Amino acid sequence: SSSWSTDSSGSSGGSGGGNFDTSTVSVFTITIDGVNDPPDFAVPGVVSAPEDGGPQTFPNYANNFVPGPADENGQMIIGFTVSNVSNPGLFLEGPAIAPDGDLTFTANANMFGFVDFDIVAQDDGGVANSGDDQSPVHRVRIDVFAVNDEPSFVAVNPPEAIEDAGPQTVSSWATFDPGAADEIGQAAMEYFVTVASNPGLFAAGGEPAVSPAGDLTYTLALNANGNAEIDVSVRDNGGVGVVGDDDTSQVQR
């Protein structure tokens, strides 16, 4: 058998005899430091602009800013970073995104094509305690689409003809210019000719005409002489698309 006993004097640490076995209460504070969560935003699909369109602005391109969880609702975007532009030579300026989300850029003259680039937003929450003020990367695209440039041609006054000489042909009278270097493969489809003065100098059905190859032809009326002025313009085969121009606006006389 076995037995046990206690010290009634309270030496075992109990609360008997007016003693206490708990300390006074100490107050401690646990602090959880805030950590900035990464922001995010939305962007639309491909945006398009015409070749030679000059400065372009797309308001509110980066939008629907989300600063993070609810406790970060007061944060704001302080800037966007653009990087990894796939074809930087396309641009004279930009692309860039302002803190308000507006996208701006200016393409170089006679340049067009697709350009991809990355966008990252930065908020004002800082990076203390290993926080993150950078959004995920958004890969976006700009389409600068080709626009047909206005064609032109070069010609001089044709050689003089003799009264009653009948049909006349001036080969290669007009030299066609399609426009910018990227349109070098275009060709003249037709020349438009209007007799501006002295139409009686020409036989019926023999009014001046210019072939797509640039040959000038006309037939003189019998017993007619003098000077006649003609207005000439040209149309190429590049089409007009959305905002293109396939017809010279400069009429040569």
Side-chain angles (χ1 to χ4, degrees):
S1 65
S2 63
S3 63
W4 58 275
S5 63
T6 61
D7 185 352
S8 61
S9 67
S11 61
S12 65
S15 58
N19 296 320
F20 296 94
D21 61 355
T22 57
S23 70
T24 58
V25 175
S26 297
V27 178
F28 299 91
T29 300
I30 298 175
T31 300
I32 308 299
D33 292 326
V35 175
N36 187 22
D37 291 286
D40 205 356
F41 61 97
V43 289
V46 178
V47 296
S48 298
E51 172 192 357
D52 297 330
Q56 301 289 315
T57 299
F58 292 84
N60 202 34
Y61 174 77
N63 55 77
N64 292 332
F65 170 59
V66 179
D71 63 303
E72 298 180 5
N73 281 344
Q75 293 181 6
M76 300 181 64
I77 288 289
I78 61 175
F80 289 88
T81 300
V82 172
S83 62
N84 300 320
V85 180
S86 64
N87 186 10
L90 181 66
F91 298 103
L92 178 65
E93 294 181 352
I97 300 180
D100 62 3
D102 290 357
L103 167 66
T104 58
F105 63 87
T106 303
N108 277 309
N110 301 314
M111 296 286 289
F112 59 89
F114 289 104
V115 179
D116 298 312
F117 57 96
D118 294 336
I119 307 172
V120 172
Q122 180 184 9
D123 66 24
D124 60 355
V127 295
N129 304 311
S130 300
D132 189 353
D133 63 355
Q134 305 286 310
S135 74
V137 175
H138 289 261
R139 188 73 173 168
V140 297
R141 170 170 285 190
I142 293 173
D143 174 21
V144 179
F145 57 88
V147 173
N148 189 21
D149 290 298
E150 179 182 287
S152 63
F153 68 96
V154 176
V156 297
N157 288 331
E160 294 183 1
I162 305 300
E163 180 183 344
D164 298 334
Q168 302 291 308
T169 298
V170 183
S171 299
S172 301
W173 175 73
T175 301
F176 174 69
D177 182 354
D182 61 289
E183 300 178 5
I184 194 170
Q186 294 181 6
M189 288 191 66
E190 59 184 318
Y191 285 85
F192 304 95
V193 181
T194 301
V195 179
S197 68
N198 200 7
L201 192 62
F202 305 102
E207 294 81 3
V210 180
S211 72
D215 297 341
L216 170 66
T217 58
Y218 60 91
T219 300
L220 295 171
L222 290 175
N223 301 315
N225 58 76
N227 296 317
E229 292 182 333
I230 58 174
D231 293 339
V232 183
S233 62
V234 65
R235 181 165 67 94
D236 66 25
N237 62 349
V240 296
V242 178
V243 292
D245 187 355
D246 64 352
D247 188 0
T248 177
S249 61
Q250 181 180 2
V251 175
Q252 298 195 26
R253 174 175 295 184

